Amino acid sequence: MTVRTRFAPSPTGMLHIGGVRTALFCYLYAKRHHGMYILRVEDTDRERSTPEAVEVILDGLKWLGLTSDEGPYYQTQRYDRYTAVIQQLIESKHAYHCHCTKERLDEMRNEQIARKEKPRYDGRCRELGLPPSPGGSVVRFKNPTEGQVVVSDLVHGPIVFDNRELDDLIILRSDGNPTYNFCVAVDDWDMQITHVIRGDDHINNTPRQINLLQAMGGAPPHYAHLPMILGPDGQKLSKRHGAVSVLEYREAGFLPEALLNYLGRLGWSHGDQEIFSLAEMAALFDLHHVNKSAAALSPDKLLWTNQQHLMKLPATELGVALQHRLEHDGCSGPFDRVGLIAESLRERAKTLKEMADGARFYFERPQQWNPKEVEKHLTAEARGHLLEWVQRFESLASGADAGVIHAALKAFCEEKGVGLGKIAQPLRIALAGGTVSPPIDQVLAILGPTEVKERVLATLAAT
């Protein structure tokens, strides 16, 4: 059996991190078993589904690198197939036309609630064999009235549903649109899905879909329902907890591999290992090690995970990522030394946004300075030292690296009888506009003698 999983988002909103984790686990399980990962867009809710939401989903999955082996398939392009299956179910007595009006259904529901019964259709039209109503009627699935549906959930274990508690589900609305559970069952059957991995908010849909599949003559797939992701306060994740769309994490400067790593560990574990590449997770992922309980989002842990990936990223890739972020933020370069710039900031930034913010001074000369910092660090003695250091720096061999510059700067400080900070801090103010920067020898190496001299002279003239 070839494992076939599917990620099936509804484009009625943004792709959020709960959906991303579901997509990730579908992807990982398929790759772990050398199977197929399928993308299916469940867009039958025509009032709420939008092309913009579809694009956000596709853009988000592309950014994350969760490339599907098949798809995307769209349910709205499969209506002919749904119509054919509904007709087959009617002919095989597994479905029927229902003419009950909204008024009757509302009255029935109110009476059931008054009797403290579970509201569900009473089956009035179930055995009447009615034709379609000229004014439009619904089609209901004739759910079994006896027996049980046992879901052998790969995360939660066996879950038992009594068929008497289930409703005769509407599978075709009066406006001609098929309904969610019916379309899902047909798609899973047609697409030969072997493992349905989704959020546990779908558990109650599972017995209905199993009964539909069996009525169609199909075998149900294996099911694995993932516990929800909670906010840091333990409440259901919502807008108040931060980013809504996964693309907001891209905007905030997170690496896609870091976000996937964090979400993979949010409910799944492999020993004490914390940092994984996507390939490593795919080689190790096992549904039996998915936690049954909900996991809480930790912004601090996500930032830490992102920083670990920034630290591990090869220098060339880090430089490219930083350049893209700088261009995104409106910086026009030049980027000939962006790799060195990225290296100087690698240990100081938790996100690409932080790194890009910290890198701006390499491309833009300071225009203003903090008066208190100027007063403290740019004393008359310090100004003289800066001018002397500029001359000393110009005399170094062309293209001197940070190590050579550090040795020269240390020797200069010893010669003047001052600590390194007495030279480094005034230099930072002149070169970066403040007292915080990467190591000063790296800054000097990246900017070079000409730029350093011009910034020092401009700062001394302006302050």
Side-chain angles (χ1 to χ4, degrees), residues 75-112:
Q75 287 186 329
T76 49
Q77 297 175 4
R78 289 175 45 78
Y79 272 35
D80 288 347
R81 171 61 177 158
Y82 301 143
T83 300
V85 175
I86 287 172
Q87 188 58 38
Q88 291 170 9
L89 290 174
I90 292 173
E91 292 173 358
S92 64
K93 308 298 184 184
H94 285 106
Y96 59 95
H97 290 280
C98 174
H99 292 189
C100 292
T101 63
K102 181 180 182 301
E103 290 73 21
R104 180 188 179 274
L105 294 174
D106 288 343
E107 181 181 353
M108 177 192 70
R109 177 184 176 84
N110 292 334
E111 290 174 355
Q112 290 171 333

mmCIF file of all heavy atoms in Angstrom, residues 75-112:
data_model
loop_
_atom_site.group_PDB
_atom_site.id
_atom_site.type_symbol
_atom_site.label_atom_id
_atom_site.label_comp_id
_atom_site.label_asym_id
_atom_site.label_seq_id
_atom_site.Cartn_x
_atom_site.Cartn_y
_atom_site.Cartn_z
ATOM 1 N N GLN A 75 -12.424 21.485 -5.101
ATOM 2 C CA GLN A 75 -13.719 20.811 -5.046
ATOM 3 C C GLN A 75 -14.726 21.423 -6.010
ATOM 4 O O GLN A 75 -15.569 20.715 -6.564
ATOM 5 C CB GLN A 75 -14.258 20.852 -3.612
ATOM 6 C CG GLN A 75 -13.521 19.908 -2.673
ATOM 7 C CD GLN A 75 -14.144 19.853 -1.291
ATOM 8 O OE1 GLN A 75 -14.720 20.839 -0.821
ATOM 9 N NE2 GLN A 75 -14.022 18.726 -0.623
ATOM 10 N N THR A 76 -14.655 22.734 -6.226
ATOM 11 C CA THR A 76 -15.620 23.363 -7.127
ATOM 12 C C THR A 76 -15.452 22.905 -8.573
ATOM 13 O O THR A 76 -16.330 23.147 -9.402
ATOM 14 C CB THR A 76 -15.493 24.896 -7.067
ATOM 15 O OG1 THR A 76 -14.114 25.266 -7.212
ATOM 16 C CG2 THR A 76 -16.020 25.434 -5.749
ATOM 17 N N GLN A 77 -14.339 22.242 -8.870
ATOM 18 C CA GLN A 77 -14.135 21.697 -10.211
ATOM 19 C C GLN A 77 -14.584 20.243 -10.319
ATOM 20 O O GLN A 77 -14.400 19.608 -11.360
ATOM 21 C CB GLN A 77 -12.659 21.821 -10.601
ATOM 22 C CG GLN A 77 -12.160 23.256 -10.678
ATOM 23 C CD GLN A 77 -10.672 23.364 -10.957
ATOM 24 O OE1 GLN A 77 -9.989 22.360 -11.166
ATOM 25 N NE2 GLN A 77 -10.155 24.592 -10.969
ATOM 26 N N ARG A 78 -15.186 19.716 -9.249
ATOM 27 C CA ARG A 78 -15.568 18.295 -9.209
ATOM 28 C C ARG A 78 -17.083 18.103 -9.021
ATOM 29 O O ARG A 78 -17.536 17.038 -8.633
ATOM 30 C CB ARG A 78 -14.810 17.601 -8.078
ATOM 31 C CG ARG A 78 -13.323 17.443 -8.365
ATOM 32 C CD ARG A 78 -12.547 16.867 -7.188
ATOM 33 N NE ARG A 78 -13.167 15.738 -6.537
ATOM 34 C CZ ARG A 78 -13.146 14.484 -7.010
ATOM 35 N NH1 ARG A 78 -12.563 14.202 -8.172
ATOM 36 N NH2 ARG A 78 -13.742 13.517 -6.341
ATOM 37 N N TYR A 79 -17.861 19.139 -9.336
ATOM 38 C CA TYR A 79 -19.302 19.050 -9.088
ATOM 39 C C TYR A 79 -19.973 17.943 -9.888
ATOM 40 O O TYR A 79 -20.924 17.317 -9.408
ATOM 41 C CB TYR A 79 -19.955 20.411 -9.369
ATOM 42 C CG TYR A 79 -19.960 21.321 -8.153
ATOM 43 C CD1 TYR A 79 -18.905 21.308 -7.251
ATOM 44 C CD2 TYR A 79 -21.011 22.198 -7.911
ATOM 45 C CE1 TYR A 79 -18.887 22.137 -6.148
ATOM 46 C CE2 TYR A 79 -21.008 23.038 -6.799
ATOM 47 C CZ TYR A 79 -19.948 22.992 -5.925
ATOM 48 O OH TYR A 79 -19.940 23.808 -4.816
ATOM 49 N N ASP A 80 -19.515 17.710 -11.106
ATOM 50 C CA ASP A 80 -20.118 16.636 -11.909
ATOM 51 C C ASP A 80 -19.948 15.287 -11.215
ATOM 52 O O ASP A 80 -20.862 14.448 -11.225
ATOM 53 C CB ASP A 80 -19.483 16.579 -13.301
ATOM 54 C CG ASP A 80 -19.899 17.755 -14.174
ATOM 55 O OD1 ASP A 80 -20.858 18.459 -13.788
ATOM 56 O OD2 ASP A 80 -19.268 17.963 -15.225
ATOM 57 N N ARG A 81 -18.788 15.087 -10.600
ATOM 58 C CA ARG A 81 -18.536 13.837 -9.893
ATOM 59 C C ARG A 81 -19.446 13.721 -8.674
ATOM 60 O O ARG A 81 -20.035 12.656 -8.423
ATOM 61 C CB ARG A 81 -17.062 13.772 -9.474
ATOM 62 C CG ARG A 81 -16.699 12.611 -8.539
ATOM 63 C CD ARG A 81 -16.950 11.269 -9.166
ATOM 64 N NE ARG A 81 -16.525 10.196 -8.272
ATOM 65 C CZ ARG A 81 -16.982 8.956 -8.349
ATOM 66 N NH1 ARG A 81 -17.887 8.608 -9.267
ATOM 67 N NH2 ARG A 81 -16.537 8.037 -7.503
ATOM 68 N N TYR A 82 -19.609 14.795 -7.924
ATOM 69 C CA TYR A 82 -20.469 14.757 -6.743
ATOM 70 C C TYR A 82 -21.919 14.464 -7.140
ATOM 71 O O TYR A 82 -22.616 13.688 -6.479
ATOM 72 C CB TYR A 82 -20.403 16.089 -5.990
ATOM 73 C CG TYR A 82 -19.021 16.476 -5.531
ATOM 74 C CD1 TYR A 82 -18.612 17.813 -5.547
ATOM 75 C CD2 TYR A 82 -18.106 15.522 -5.088
ATOM 76 C CE1 TYR A 82 -17.346 18.186 -5.113
ATOM 77 C CE2 TYR A 82 -16.839 15.888 -4.666
ATOM 78 C CZ TYR A 82 -16.457 17.219 -4.698
ATOM 79 O OH TYR A 82 -15.204 17.582 -4.289
ATOM 80 N N THR A 83 -22.369 15.095 -8.218
ATOM 81 C CA THR A 83 -23.736 14.873 -8.693
ATOM 82 C C THR A 83 -23.956 13.403 -9.045
ATOM 83 O O THR A 83 -24.997 12.809 -8.717
ATOM 84 C CB THR A 83 -24.028 15.755 -9.919
ATOM 85 O OG1 THR A 83 -23.877 17.129 -9.553
ATOM 86 C CG2 THR A 83 -25.438 15.521 -10.440
ATOM 87 N N ALA A 84 -22.963 12.804 -9.701
ATOM 88 C CA ALA A 84 -23.083 11.397 -10.099
ATOM 89 C C ALA A 84 -23.146 10.484 -8.877
ATOM 90 O O ALA A 84 -23.948 9.538 -8.828
ATOM 91 C CB ALA A 84 -21.896 11.008 -10.985
ATOM 92 N N VAL A 85 -22.340 10.759 -7.870
ATOM 93 C CA VAL A 85 -22.347 9.905 -6.672
ATOM 94 C C VAL A 85 -23.655 10.063 -5.900
ATOM 95 O O VAL A 85 -24.212 9.071 -5.395
ATOM 96 C CB VAL A 85 -21.138 10.245 -5.769
ATOM 97 C CG1 VAL A 85 -21.204 9.461 -4.458
ATOM 98 C CG2 VAL A 85 -19.829 9.946 -6.479
ATOM 99 N N ILE A 86 -24.180 11.270 -5.817
ATOM 100 C CA ILE A 86 -25.465 11.480 -5.139
ATOM 101 C C ILE A 86 -26.558 10.684 -5.828
ATOM 102 O O ILE A 86 -27.392 10.036 -5.175
ATOM 103 C CB ILE A 86 -25.811 12.983 -5.099
ATOM 104 C CG1 ILE A 86 -24.915 13.698 -4.069
ATOM 105 C CG2 ILE A 86 -27.286 13.193 -4.752
ATOM 106 C CD1 ILE A 86 -25.024 15.200 -4.081
ATOM 107 N N GLN A 87 -26.548 10.692 -7.149
ATOM 108 C CA GLN A 87 -27.554 9.924 -7.884
ATOM 109 C C GLN A 87 -27.405 8.430 -7.607
ATOM 110 O O GLN A 87 -28.404 7.712 -7.434
ATOM 111 C CB GLN A 87 -27.439 10.210 -9.389
ATOM 112 C CG GLN A 87 -28.565 9.613 -10.217
ATOM 113 C CD GLN A 87 -29.947 10.099 -9.789
ATOM 114 O OE1 GLN A 87 -30.125 11.271 -9.440
ATOM 115 N NE2 GLN A 87 -30.924 9.179 -9.777
ATOM 116 N N GLN A 88 -26.181 7.964 -7.533
ATOM 117 C CA GLN A 88 -25.945 6.551 -7.222
ATOM 118 C C GLN A 88 -26.451 6.200 -5.822
ATOM 119 O O GLN A 88 -27.043 5.129 -5.606
ATOM 120 C CB GLN A 88 -24.453 6.235 -7.325
ATOM 121 C CG GLN A 88 -23.901 6.279 -8.746
ATOM 122 C CD GLN A 88 -22.385 6.204 -8.774
ATOM 123 O OE1 GLN A 88 -21.738 5.959 -7.760
ATOM 124 N NE2 GLN A 88 -21.805 6.438 -9.944
ATOM 125 N N LEU A 89 -26.249 7.093 -4.871
ATOM 126 C CA LEU A 89 -26.715 6.840 -3.507
ATOM 127 C C LEU A 89 -28.238 6.826 -3.434
ATOM 128 O O LEU A 89 -28.832 6.029 -2.692
ATOM 129 C CB LEU A 89 -26.152 7.899 -2.562
ATOM 130 C CG LEU A 89 -24.642 7.833 -2.282
ATOM 131 C CD1 LEU A 89 -24.191 9.033 -1.455
ATOM 132 C CD2 LEU A 89 -24.277 6.532 -1.560
ATOM 133 N N ILE A 90 -28.875 7.701 -4.211
ATOM 134 C CA ILE A 90 -30.340 7.694 -4.245
ATOM 135 C C ILE A 90 -30.842 6.381 -4.841
ATOM 136 O O ILE A 90 -31.763 5.734 -4.311
ATOM 137 C CB ILE A 90 -30.867 8.899 -5.044
ATOM 138 C CG1 ILE A 90 -30.561 10.205 -4.298
ATOM 139 C CG2 ILE A 90 -32.369 8.767 -5.296
ATOM 140 C CD1 ILE A 90 -30.886 11.458 -5.098
ATOM 141 N N GLU A 91 -30.231 5.961 -5.931
ATOM 142 C CA GLU A 91 -30.663 4.720 -6.606
ATOM 143 C C GLU A 91 -30.415 3.490 -5.744
ATOM 144 O O GLU A 91 -31.176 2.521 -5.811
ATOM 145 C CB GLU A 91 -29.936 4.587 -7.943
ATOM 146 C CG GLU A 91 -30.362 5.645 -8.971
ATOM 147 C CD GLU A 91 -29.521 5.618 -10.231
ATOM 148 O OE1 GLU A 91 -28.571 4.794 -10.293
ATOM 149 O OE2 GLU A 91 -29.799 6.414 -11.147
ATOM 150 N N SER A 92 -29.372 3.522 -4.922
ATOM 151 C CA SER A 92 -29.075 2.369 -4.064
ATOM 152 C C SER A 92 -29.777 2.453 -2.714
ATOM 153 O O SER A 92 -29.494 1.646 -1.808
ATOM 154 C CB SER A 92 -27.565 2.246 -3.858
ATOM 155 O OG SER A 92 -27.054 3.371 -3.159
ATOM 156 N N LYS A 93 -30.693 3.433 -2.558
ATOM 157 C CA LYS A 93 -31.481 3.620 -1.342
ATOM 158 C C LYS A 93 -30.629 4.053 -0.134
ATOM 159 O O LYS A 93 -31.027 3.864 1.018
ATOM 160 C CB LYS A 93 -32.266 2.339 -0.978
ATOM 161 C CG LYS A 93 -33.097 1.759 -2.101
ATOM 162 C CD LYS A 93 -34.178 2.729 -2.561
ATOM 163 C CE LYS A 93 -35.069 2.069 -3.635
ATOM 164 N NZ LYS A 93 -36.081 3.032 -4.161
ATOM 165 N N HIS A 94 -29.469 4.648 -0.410
ATOM 166 C CA HIS A 94 -28.639 5.166 0.672
ATOM 167 C C HIS A 94 -28.842 6.670 0.868
ATOM 168 O O HIS A 94 -28.224 7.260 1.767
ATOM 169 C CB HIS A 94 -27.159 4.897 0.384
ATOM 170 C CG HIS A 94 -26.764 3.475 0.589
ATOM 171 N ND1 HIS A 94 -26.515 2.608 -0.462
ATOM 172 C CD2 HIS A 94 -26.607 2.749 1.717
ATOM 173 C CE1 HIS A 94 -26.190 1.429 0.009
ATOM 174 N NE2 HIS A 94 -26.248 1.470 1.326
ATOM 175 N N ALA A 95 -29.692 7.278 0.038
ATOM 176 C CA ALA A 95 -29.977 8.703 0.142
ATOM 177 C C ALA A 95 -31.393 8.951 -0.353
ATOM 178 O O ALA A 95 -31.968 8.114 -1.075
ATOM 179 C CB ALA A 95 -28.971 9.523 -0.661
ATOM 180 N N TYR A 96 -31.957 10.090 0.001
ATOM 181 C CA TYR A 96 -33.345 10.364 -0.376
ATOM 182 C C TYR A 96 -33.570 11.877 -0.430
ATOM 183 O O TYR A 96 -32.870 12.656 0.229
ATOM 184 C CB TYR A 96 -34.320 9.726 0.605
ATOM 185 C CG TYR A 96 -34.159 10.185 2.037
ATOM 186 C CD1 TYR A 96 -34.931 11.223 2.560
ATOM 187 C CD2 TYR A 96 -33.237 9.566 2.882
ATOM 188 C CE1 TYR A 96 -34.785 11.644 3.879
ATOM 189 C CE2 TYR A 96 -33.085 9.964 4.210
ATOM 190 C CZ TYR A 96 -33.857 11.004 4.704
ATOM 191 O OH TYR A 96 -33.714 11.419 6.005
ATOM 192 N N HIS A 97 -34.581 12.264 -1.234
ATOM 193 C CA HIS A 97 -35.002 13.655 -1.294
ATOM 194 C C HIS A 97 -35.869 13.972 -0.082
ATOM 195 O O HIS A 97 -36.718 13.174 0.314
ATOM 196 C CB HIS A 97 -35.804 13.926 -2.574
ATOM 197 C CG HIS A 97 -34.964 13.883 -3.808
ATOM 198 N ND1 HIS A 97 -34.174 14.930 -4.204
ATOM 199 C CD2 HIS A 97 -34.809 12.908 -4.745
ATOM 200 C CE1 HIS A 97 -33.545 14.613 -5.333
ATOM 201 N NE2 HIS A 97 -33.916 13.389 -5.686
ATOM 202 N N CYS A 98 -35.619 15.131 0.508
ATOM 203 C CA CYS A 98 -36.384 15.568 1.682
ATOM 204 C C CYS A 98 -37.067 16.883 1.349
ATOM 205 O O CYS A 98 -36.417 17.842 0.925
ATOM 206 C CB CYS A 98 -35.438 15.727 2.877
ATOM 207 S SG CYS A 98 -36.226 16.426 4.350
ATOM 208 N N HIS A 99 -38.399 16.925 1.560
ATOM 209 C CA HIS A 99 -39.187 18.108 1.226
ATOM 210 C C HIS A 99 -39.534 18.943 2.449
ATOM 211 O O HIS A 99 -40.309 19.905 2.334
ATOM 212 C CB HIS A 99 -40.488 17.692 0.522
ATOM 213 C CG HIS A 99 -40.250 17.119 -0.848
ATOM 214 N ND1 HIS A 99 -41.289 16.852 -1.730
ATOM 215 C CD2 HIS A 99 -39.117 16.756 -1.497
ATOM 216 C CE1 HIS A 99 -40.805 16.339 -2.854
ATOM 217 N NE2 HIS A 99 -39.486 16.268 -2.731
ATOM 218 N N CYS A 100 -39.023 18.607 3.602
ATOM 219 C CA CYS A 100 -39.375 19.334 4.822
ATOM 220 C C CYS A 100 -38.963 20.804 4.721
ATOM 221 O O CYS A 100 -37.844 21.115 4.290
ATOM 222 C CB CYS A 100 -38.701 18.693 6.035
ATOM 223 S SG CYS A 100 -39.336 17.042 6.422
ATOM 224 N N THR A 101 -39.869 21.674 5.127
ATOM 225 C CA THR A 101 -39.601 23.110 5.044
ATOM 226 C C THR A 101 -38.742 23.564 6.228
ATOM 227 O O THR A 101 -38.653 22.877 7.255
ATOM 228 C CB THR A 101 -40.908 23.905 5.068
ATOM 229 O OG1 THR A 101 -41.568 23.676 6.324
ATOM 230 C CG2 THR A 101 -41.826 23.472 3.921
ATOM 231 N N LYS A 102 -38.174 24.733 6.084
ATOM 232 C CA LYS A 102 -37.375 25.305 7.170
ATOM 233 C C LYS A 102 -38.240 25.516 8.406
ATOM 234 O O LYS A 102 -37.797 25.279 9.538
ATOM 235 C CB LYS A 102 -36.764 26.626 6.728
ATOM 236 C CG LYS A 102 -35.889 27.302 7.785
ATOM 237 C CD LYS A 102 -35.322 28.617 7.280
ATOM 238 C CE LYS A 102 -34.403 29.259 8.320
ATOM 239 N NZ LYS A 102 -35.094 29.527 9.599
ATOM 240 N N GLU A 103 -39.501 25.915 8.201
ATOM 241 C CA GLU A 103 -40.394 26.161 9.316
ATOM 242 C C GLU A 103 -40.652 24.872 10.097
ATOM 243 O O GLU A 103 -40.628 24.861 11.342
ATOM 244 C CB GLU A 103 -41.720 26.751 8.827
ATOM 245 C CG GLU A 103 -41.633 28.182 8.302
ATOM 246 C CD GLU A 103 -40.943 28.268 6.936
ATOM 247 O OE1 GLU A 103 -40.888 27.232 6.223
ATOM 248 O OE2 GLU A 103 -40.451 29.373 6.602
ATOM 249 N N ARG A 104 -40.872 23.778 9.355
ATOM 250 C CA ARG A 104 -41.097 22.501 10.045
ATOM 251 C C ARG A 104 -39.856 22.055 10.801
ATOM 252 O O ARG A 104 -39.936 21.581 11.941
ATOM 253 C CB ARG A 104 -41.498 21.423 9.038
ATOM 254 C CG ARG A 104 -41.735 20.098 9.755
ATOM 255 C CD ARG A 104 -41.960 18.893 8.876
ATOM 256 N NE ARG A 104 -42.127 17.740 9.747
ATOM 257 C CZ ARG A 104 -41.136 16.998 10.233
ATOM 258 N NH1 ARG A 104 -39.891 17.280 9.859
ATOM 259 N NH2 ARG A 104 -41.354 15.995 11.060
ATOM 260 N N LEU A 105 -38.690 22.208 10.186
ATOM 261 C CA LEU A 105 -37.449 21.787 10.824
ATOM 262 C C LEU A 105 -37.161 22.611 12.077
ATOM 263 O O LEU A 105 -36.712 22.074 13.091
ATOM 264 C CB LEU A 105 -36.286 21.899 9.833
ATOM 265 C CG LEU A 105 -36.344 20.945 8.630
ATOM 266 C CD1 LEU A 105 -35.211 21.252 7.651
ATOM 267 C CD2 LEU A 105 -36.273 19.485 9.072
ATOM 268 N N ASP A 106 -37.444 23.927 12.009
ATOM 269 C CA ASP A 106 -37.242 24.780 13.181
ATOM 270 C C ASP A 106 -38.183 24.371 14.315
ATOM 271 O O ASP A 106 -37.782 24.312 15.490
ATOM 272 C CB ASP A 106 -37.479 26.247 12.823
ATOM 273 C CG ASP A 106 -36.365 26.821 11.959
ATOM 274 O OD1 ASP A 106 -35.276 26.207 11.904
ATOM 275 O OD2 ASP A 106 -36.587 27.873 11.329
ATOM 276 N N GLU A 107 -39.435 24.096 13.974
ATOM 277 C CA GLU A 107 -40.417 23.678 14.990
ATOM 278 C C GLU A 107 -39.991 22.350 15.624
ATOM 279 O O GLU A 107 -40.053 22.176 16.849
ATOM 280 C CB GLU A 107 -41.795 23.547 14.347
ATOM 281 C CG GLU A 107 -42.887 23.150 15.332
ATOM 282 C CD GLU A 107 -44.246 23.002 14.658
ATOM 283 O OE1 GLU A 107 -44.358 23.346 13.458
ATOM 284 O OE2 GLU A 107 -45.176 22.515 15.318
ATOM 285 N N MET A 108 -39.556 21.410 14.776
ATOM 286 C CA MET A 108 -39.101 20.104 15.268
ATOM 287 C C MET A 108 -37.908 20.262 16.208
ATOM 288 O O MET A 108 -37.856 19.668 17.295
ATOM 289 C CB MET A 108 -38.719 19.220 14.083
ATOM 290 C CG MET A 108 -38.149 17.858 14.448
ATOM 291 S SD MET A 108 -37.413 17.064 12.987
ATOM 292 C CE MET A 108 -35.962 18.110 12.760
ATOM 293 N N ARG A 109 -36.984 21.102 15.824
ATOM 294 C CA ARG A 109 -35.781 21.321 16.631
ATOM 295 C C ARG A 109 -36.142 21.939 17.989
ATOM 296 O O ARG A 109 -35.633 21.499 19.034
ATOM 297 C CB ARG A 109 -34.817 22.240 15.864
ATOM 298 C CG ARG A 109 -33.553 22.607 16.628
ATOM 299 C CD ARG A 109 -32.705 23.584 15.827
ATOM 300 N NE ARG A 109 -31.544 24.033 16.571
ATOM 301 C CZ ARG A 109 -30.397 23.381 16.656
ATOM 302 N NH1 ARG A 109 -30.258 22.224 16.017
ATOM 303 N NH2 ARG A 109 -29.401 23.851 17.369
ATOM 304 N N ASN A 110 -37.016 22.929 17.991
ATOM 305 C CA ASN A 110 -37.412 23.579 19.240
ATOM 306 C C ASN A 110 -38.096 22.599 20.181
ATOM 307 O O ASN A 110 -37.881 22.635 21.403
ATOM 308 C CB ASN A 110 -38.323 24.774 18.958
ATOM 309 C CG ASN A 110 -37.576 25.906 18.261
ATOM 310 O OD1 ASN A 110 -36.358 26.045 18.401
ATOM 311 N ND2 ASN A 110 -38.303 26.723 17.509
ATOM 312 N N GLU A 111 -38.924 21.728 19.620
ATOM 313 C CA GLU A 111 -39.609 20.726 20.449
ATOM 314 C C GLU A 111 -38.606 19.734 21.039
ATOM 315 O O GLU A 111 -38.740 19.327 22.203
ATOM 316 C CB GLU A 111 -40.660 19.980 19.609
ATOM 317 C CG GLU A 111 -41.846 20.854 19.229
ATOM 318 C CD GLU A 111 -42.805 20.137 18.288
ATOM 319 O OE1 GLU A 111 -42.479 18.987 17.872
ATOM 320 O OE2 GLU A 111 -43.854 20.713 17.965
ATOM 321 N N GLN A 112 -37.611 19.342 20.254
ATOM 322 C CA GLN A 112 -36.600 18.412 20.761
ATOM 323 C C GLN A 112 -35.785 19.051 21.878
ATOM 324 O O GLN A 112 -35.487 18.410 22.887
ATOM 325 C CB GLN A 112 -35.690 17.957 19.617
ATOM 326 C CG GLN A 112 -36.375 17.039 18.612
ATOM 327 C CD GLN A 112 -35.524 16.770 17.379
ATOM 328 O OE1 GLN A 112 -34.677 17.593 17.018
ATOM 329 N NE2 GLN A 112 -35.767 15.644 16.722
#
